[in-house]
């Protein structure tokens, strides 16, 4: 069975090669994004493993006629076309849990950076300026945090928030009243959450139904001076609406580990004008450059998942997924 691993870092290579000794396993450092690339390096693949910067479209699937399984090394799977996989009888497995504490901790890293102006202070002191002017922050204790999505990560965020003495409200289309009582939080509508929260943090998957979950239609209802945090998927937030809310002063700031169109920045050649760049790609790139330059933003490059422990859990689950598929008992199917 031929296995091709895309977006393979050195630790991925070492871990996976050691667990598929003597097998036809190949590693590609770049994400899988085009039919030409699929035909060139994975035409004979029975299994491919990808991460979030790959884009497995129907055209890409078409160039891998032997493919039977996609093992994505992520919880989210919006980068794999589900209808095309289903039509071809291809199983798609993900890593449903690996970093609830890891991503939740990074969420609070972004919150604390903004609430205490750590990013501004770092730049200032790096230039030899030790003045305190303009760096006054605010306490988290007593503030209301609105958690959108109460899955594994969202629930861990709630636990940490209580440690800071915060009030917690949540929105989820499938509320769990038992957990709400146990962890001392309250479910409200999304509109009420936006209106009441000093900090809104997103922990929802990206689906066609919730693309731009936060956008022009509702961002104006957010509490004056609130923070918006997104460590989930960039497409949950309409970048144009976010910039407008920051420009107007409605939002105090935003902390993003994911941004719309981040795949444009995943490879330098894409940004410099590869043939598949569209006018909309260019507009999105310009909007994101605008975000990167703002002093009221803290942006990290999709690293909320990226701890030593979480990476090992991701790779271990990926190995288990592939082995289970080969044994005829596929698991973690999406």
């Amino acid at each position: 069975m031929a296995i091709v691993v895309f977006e393979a870092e050195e630790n991925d290579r070492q871990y996976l090669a050691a667990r598929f000794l003597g097998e036809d396993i190949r590693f590609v450092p770049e994400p899988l994004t085009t039919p030409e690339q699929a035909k060139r390096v994975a035409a004979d693949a029975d299994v491919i493993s990808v991460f979030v910067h790959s884009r497995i479209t129907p055209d890409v699937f078409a160039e891998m006629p032997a493919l039977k399984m996609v093992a994505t090394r992520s919880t989210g799977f919006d980068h794999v076309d589900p209808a095309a996989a289903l039509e071809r009888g291809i199983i798609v497995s993900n890593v449903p849990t690996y970093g609830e504490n890891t991503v939740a901790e990074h969420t609070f890293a972004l919150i604390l950076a903004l609430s205490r102006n750590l990013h501004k202070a770092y730049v200032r002191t790096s230039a030899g300026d030790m003045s305190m002017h303009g760096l006054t922050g605010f306490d988290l204790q007593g503030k209301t945090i609105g958690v959108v999505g109460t899955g594994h990560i969202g629930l861990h965020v709630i636990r940490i928030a209580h440690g800071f003495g915060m009030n917690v409200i949540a929105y989820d289309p499938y509320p769990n009243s038992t957990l709400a009582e146990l962890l001392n939080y309250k479910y409200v509508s999304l509109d009420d959450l936006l209106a009441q929260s000093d900090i809104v943090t997103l922990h929802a998957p990206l689906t066609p139904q919730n693309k731009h979950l936060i956008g022009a239609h509702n961002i104006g209802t957010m509490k004056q001076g609130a923070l918006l945090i997104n460590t989930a998927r960039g497409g949950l937030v309409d970048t144009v609406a976010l910039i407008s809310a920051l420009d107007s002063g409605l939002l105090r700031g935003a902390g993003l580990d994911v941004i719309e169109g981040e795949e444009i920045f995943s490879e330098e050649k894409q940004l410099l004008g590869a043939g598949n760049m569209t006018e909309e790609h260019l507009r999105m790139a310009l909007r994101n450059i605008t975000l990167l330059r703002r002093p009221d933003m803290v942006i990290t490059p999709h690293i909320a998942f990226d701890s030593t422990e979480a990476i090992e859990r991701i790779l271990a689950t990926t190995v288990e997924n592939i082995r289970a598929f080969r044994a005829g008992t596929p698991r973690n199917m999406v």
Side-chain angles (χ1 to χ4, degrees):
M1 182 173 285
I3 305 169
V4 182
V5 182
F6 291 89
E7 303 177 73
E9 302 285 348
E10 183 57 34
N11 60 322
D12 301 326
R13 295 169 184 256
Q14 292 179 6
Y15 189 98
L16 296 173
R19 284 153 182 82
F20 292 103
L21 284 173
E23 301 199 38
D24 182 7
I25 182 167
R26 307 193 293 269
F27 299 95
V28 180
E30 298 83 15
L32 174 57
T33 57
T34 67
E36 294 77 17
Q37 185 186 17
K39 183 176 182 179
R40 187 175 69 254
V41 300
D44 64 337
D46 298 288
V47 175
I48 63 170
S49 178
V50 297
F51 195 51
V52 297
H53 296 114
S54 291
R55 291 292 177 269
I56 317 302
T57 62
D59 289 344
V60 172
F61 273 126
E63 298 299 339
M64 298 181 288
L67 190 66
K68 303 176 184 68
M69 180 198 187
V70 177
T72 183
R73 303 189 305 279
S74 60
T75 299
F77 48 89
D78 53 284
H79 50 292
V80 181
D81 188 302
L86 184 63
E87 181 181 347
R88 292 177 173 274
I90 296 169
I91 286 175
V92 181
S93 293
N94 73 336
V95 183
T97 59
Y98 66 87
E100 51 262 37
N101 68 292
T102 307
V103 177
E105 289 169 15
H106 193 82
T107 296
F108 272 89
L110 294 174
I111 292 171
L112 288 166
L114 288 163
S115 68
R116 300 310 300 267
N117 290 310
L118 296 183
H119 57 308
K120 298 176 185 177
Y122 174 78
V123 171
R124 184 179 298 183
T125 55
S126 294
D129 182 353
M130 300 296 290
S131 66
M132 298 165 54
H133 178 72
L135 297 180
T136 303
F138 64 88
D139 292 348
L140 298 185
Q141 183 173 348
K143 298 298 188 299
T144 296
I145 185 169
V147 180
V148 178
T150 53
H152 294 285
I153 295 171
L155 291 175
H156 208 88
V157 167
I158 289 170
R159 294 185 184 98
I160 296 174
H162 283 311
F164 279 99
M166 303 183 78
N167 305 312
V168 181
I169 57 177
Y171 166 74
D172 195 297
Y174 306 101
N176 188 320
S177 57
T178 302
L179 283 174
E181 183 175 356
L182 182 66
L183 295 179
N184 189 29
Y185 66 91
K186 180 176 68 172
Y187 282 106
V188 298
S189 69
L190 181 58
D191 287 343
D192 286 343
L193 182 145
L194 296 179
Q196 297 174 30
S197 300
D198 300 292
I199 299 168
V200 173
T201 179
L202 306 181
H203 303 286
L206 178 61
T207 66
Q209 292 74 32
N210 65 13
K211 180 177 172 63
H212 290 174
L213 183 68
I214 307 299
H217 63 288
N218 62 4
I219 201 167
T221 67
M222 291 183 69
K223 189 174 182 179
Q224 180 70 39
L227 299 179
L228 178 63
I229 309 295
N230 188 8
T231 56
R233 284 292 184 267
L236 293 173
V237 178
D238 181 346
T239 305
V240 174
L242 173 60
I243 292 172
S244 178
L246 291 167
D247 284 343
S248 71
L250 172 64
L251 295 185
R252 183 194 298 256
L256 308 179
D257 185 54
V258 288
I259 54 177
E260 260 193 308
E262 65 186 56
E263 64 274 7
I264 296 170
F265 294 96
S266 63
E267 294 184 25
E268 185 179 5
K269 65 182 181 182
Q270 288 179 289
L271 185 59
L272 293 178
N276 59 347
M277 286 287 285
T278 66
E279 187 175 328
E280 177 55 28
H281 284 146
L282 293 173
R283 282 198 295 267
M284 196 172 290
L286 288 172
R287 290 195 291 266
N288 289 337
I289 289 170
T290 298
L291 286 180
L292 289 168
R293 292 174 175 171
R294 296 188 68 105
D296 50 7
M297 295 288 307
V298 175
I299 298 178
T300 52
H302 206 144
I303 58 169
F305 75 96
D306 195 9
S307 72
T308 301
E309 296 83 357
I311 293 296
E312 185 161 341
R313 290 191 290 268
I314 289 171
L315 292 173
T317 302
T318 300
V319 170
E320 292 169 5
N321 286 346
I322 295 173
R323 286 176 174 169
F325 165 74
R326 294 199 306 183
T329 56
R331 46 171 291 186
N332 295 325
M333 293 183 292
V334 300

